[in-house]
Amino acid sequence: MLSLRAHHILCLVIPDSDDFRSKAKEMFRKKGYTSNYINAYMKVFEIARANENEEIKILNSPKGDDTCPHCSNYKEGTCTSPQAAIFTGWDEEILTIFGLSVGDTLKVRDLRKLVKEKVDPQNMPGVCKGCLFDLNRECGEILIRMREMKGCSRPS
């Protein structure tokens, strides 16, 4: 089971996997993230993309998150980033959009379905508007295609 802050989960299912893989490492580095954090997030991304039945425990703080302890701003279970309040706001926004509570678990396939049903491609959540990878427009287009598809299949 993966354990992730709510604002970390959208990149697991929305962006085109090739776009994300090609841009993520460089963009994380440009924003000052460590190699350890980048590797931890990419591992989580690969697990989620490889297994639609993988469960994700939803969190709203860095404590217990599978990626945050690898960040240089993580100190004793707390995010010390100057943007910590923004990250917390993004967590709360995602919890609200999806109607989830801290500690809820869902499978990747169910996350994909929630994203398809609840995320407005014309008004993406704050975490998407602040996208490190400059994929906001592309992800909005992917969401439009997801909504046009039957079921909750992955976009190509």
Side-chain angles (χ1 to χ4, degrees):
M1 177 184 307
L2 302 172
S3 295
L4 295 168
R5 292 186 75 166
H7 80 269
H8 288 164
I9 65 176
L10 295 180
C11 290
L12 299 180
V13 298
I14 299 176
D16 174 81
S17 57
D18 291 335
D19 274 351
F20 189 84
R21 284 183 189 105
S22 70
K23 293 182 178 183
K25 289 182 182 181
E26 179 183 345
M27 296 309 287
F28 272 134
R29 272 190 206 94
K30 283 184 179 179
K31 293 293 184 175
Y33 287 91
T34 64
S35 292
N36 286 341
Y37 178 85
I38 297 166
N39 292 337
Y41 193 88
M42 294 309 293
K43 179 180 177 184
V44 165
F45 175 82
E46 296 299 343
I47 289 168
R49 289 297 173 115
N51 183 4
E52 295 249 324
N53 290 314
E54 183 70 36
E55 289 189 330
I56 305 166
K57 182 177 180 180
I58 306 299
L59 308 173
N60 69 342
S61 76
K63 190 170 185 170
D65 181 280
D66 290 337
T67 61
C68 290
H70 303 280
C71 178
S72 60
N73 291 315
Y74 181 86
K75 307 286 187 236
E76 299 175 8
T78 302
C79 179
T80 62
S81 167
Q83 296 183 331
I86 293 170
F87 302 152
T88 298
W90 290 345
D91 289 334
E92 294 305 318
E93 180 185 19
I94 298 303
L95 290 169
T96 299
I97 289 171
F98 292 156
L100 296 171
S101 298
V102 174
D104 284 351
T105 61
L106 70 157
K107 293 184 179 191
V108 171
R109 72 169 179 257
D110 297 326
L111 171 60
R112 188 175 307 287
K113 183 178 178 186
L114 278 173
V115 166
K116 179 180 171 181
E117 293 172 356
K118 307 269 185 182
V119 176
D120 179 357
Q122 305 305 323
N123 187 22
M124 299 288 278
V127 66
C128 298
K129 291 174 184 168
C131 180
L132 293 176
F133 317 111
D134 197 28
L135 292 173
N136 189 16
R137 184 181 54 78
E138 291 90 341
C139 289
E141 291 171 4
I142 288 169
L143 278 171
I144 290 168
R145 288 196 307 270
M146 285 172 75
R147 287 179 165 203
E148 293 170 352
M149 296 169 64
K150 293 243 180 227
C152 56
S153 309
R154 291 182 200 202
S156 53

